Amino acid sequence: MASNGLQLNASKTKCLLLHSSRRKIETGLDLLVDGVTVDQVRVFKYLGVLINNTLTWSDHVDMICRKVSCCPNLLRRLSWFLPRSLLLTYLKSYILPHFDYCDVIWSGCTQDESCRLESLLNFSCKIVLQRRRDSSSLLLFKNLD
C-alpha cells in the first residue's frame, strides 16, 4: 500500500473473525498494523449492513426492526389527519426504503426473522389502508398501488 501512496489508519481498522455459529472461537486474533493492535469486533457495519462473525443477519434484522418499529405509531397518529395518498407517500418514503435497501440478503435470514420484518410491514400497510390489525394481509399489497 505504501508503494501506491496509501496509508492504513490502524486506529479505524477493525478485525472480524468469521466462524461457524456451532463452533465458538474462544481465543481472539492478535493483529498488529504499524505497531497498533487492531480491534476484533463481533459485528461490523459496512455500507449500512450489519455483518456479524457468523454471517447471520440477526443483528441487521434487529437494527431494521428498531428503526422501523416507531414508524407505524407515527403513521397511526397521522392517519387521523392525512388522506390516504399522503399516508402512502409516507410509507413509501420512510418505511419501505429500510426493507428495500440491500434486500438480496433477505434470502439468507431465518423464518423467524422474516416473520418479524413481514409483520412490521403488514402492520404499516394496514394502517395506510385503514384495516383492522387482525385482518388478513393476503390481498394487502394489491390495494396499495
Side-chain angles (χ1 to χ4, degrees):
M1 284 181 39
S3 63
N4 293 328
L6 300 174
Q7 290 183 343
L8 182 69
N9 190 346
S11 63
K12 292 183 179 180
T13 305
K14 305 291 181 203
C15 172
L16 183 67
L17 183 62
L18 301 176
H19 61 84
S20 171
S21 60
R22 296 179 184 159
R23 188 176 190 185
K24 301 294 180 189
I25 304 295
E26 300 297 329
T27 60
L29 185 64
D30 295 328
L31 186 63
L32 292 173
V33 175
D34 295 333
V36 178
T37 304
V38 176
D39 295 332
Q40 183 176 346
V41 294
R42 190 187 73 76
V43 179
F44 185 73
K45 189 173 189 177
Y46 183 70
L47 297 176
V49 178
L50 289 178
I51 303 170
N52 64 9
N53 56 3
T54 57
L55 291 180
T56 59
W57 302 113
S58 58
D59 295 305
H60 185 69
V61 170
D62 289 341
M63 178 190 69
I64 289 178
C65 288
R66 276 194 308 272
K67 284 184 176 181
V68 174
S69 64
C70 65
C71 294
N73 294 328
L74 179 59
L75 192 62
R76 186 183 315 159
R77 288 185 207 141
L78 292 174
S79 69
W80 292 97
F81 308 107
L82 297 178
R84 181 191 231 172
S85 61
L86 290 178
L87 294 174
L88 185 60
T89 303
Y90 178 83
L91 175 74
K92 288 182 178 179
S93 60
Y94 287 105
I95 298 175
L96 285 182
H98 292 290
F99 293 99
D100 290 340
Y101 180 71
C102 201
D103 60 352
V104 175
I105 66 170
W106 300 132
S107 64
C109 70
T110 64
Q111 183 70 26
D112 182 49
E113 293 165 346
S114 179
C115 287
R116 286 177 57 200
L117 293 169
E118 189 176 354
S119 67
L120 276 173
L121 183 59
N122 287 345
F123 181 52
S124 300
C125 292
K126 287 176 186 179
I127 292 172
V128 169
L129 296 173
Q130 297 176 345
R131 302 275 164 78
R132 292 181 42 181
R133 188 172 184 167
D134 59 349
S135 64
S136 176
S137 59
L138 292 176
L139 302 174
L140 200 60
F141 296 104
K142 291 182 182 179
N143 295 330
L144 285 177
D145 293 334

